[in-house]
Amino acid sequence: QVQLVESGGGSVQSGGSLRPSCAASGYTYVGGCMGWFRQAPGKGREGVADIDSDGSTSYGDSVKGRFTISRDNAKNTLFLQMNSLKPEDTAMYYCAANLYDSCGAARPRERAGFAYWGQGTQVTVSS
């Protein structure tokens, strides 16, 4: 089966930057929609951003202008460049992907629209 592994989280001060990544294991080509979600303690899983097979992107309102999602299709790898980080960005960040299905008309694509998920990487932003 497809496995997704996140890395690159960590602890930074307010205003700092991080660039977590998500790598798909095995030899399966991940050609569908890919996205990032986050979940803080006591809260639901929130859609952060997604990117479709054609490179089109969508962002949640809370991260627009600060985060940039990208993908390297040849390496089956997803990235999230996070700049101007705020304490409210503190959460576990999860990678999600589909092998073939596109992101569709409703963007960012909701949680139920992704078939595969990673274990998450922790991001902590101090004030």
Side-chain angles (χ1 to χ4, degrees):
Q1 62 177 5
V2 176
Q3 295 184 11
L4 304 177
V5 180
E6 301 95 336
S7 62
S11 298
V12 298
Q13 296 181 4
S14 181
S17 298
L18 287 171
R19 195 187 188 220
S21 62
C22 167
S25 65
Y27 298 99
T28 301
Y29 177 69
V30 181
C33 185
M34 301 186 76
W36 287 97
F37 290 77
R38 65 186 184 185
Q39 187 167 20
K43 296 185 177 181
R45 194 163 297 188
E46 173 191 15
V48 175
D50 65 26
I51 182 167
D52 216 339
S53 58
D54 63 358
S56 65
T57 60
S58 183
Y59 298 90
D61 290 339
S62 63
V63 306
K64 288 180 179 177
R66 299 188 297 120
F67 291 9
T68 302
I69 188 171
S70 62
R71 65 195 294 171
D72 184 337
N73 291 329
K75 297 182 179 180
N76 281 341
T77 303
L78 180 71
F79 302 93
L80 184 66
Q81 179 66 53
M82 303 187 292
N83 298 324
S84 301
L85 284 165
K86 306 174 181 179
E88 50 263 44
D89 294 318
T90 296
M92 184 73 74
Y93 282 70
Y94 297 91
C95 170
N98 290 323
L99 296 184
Y100 307 106
D101 292 340
S102 65
C103 295
R107 308 284 292 279
R109 190 173 180 87
E110 65 182 20
R111 181 180 179 180
F114 290 96
Y116 300 99
W117 292 84
Q119 297 296 313
T121 186
Q122 179 67 41
V123 171
T124 302
V125 185
S126 60
S127 60

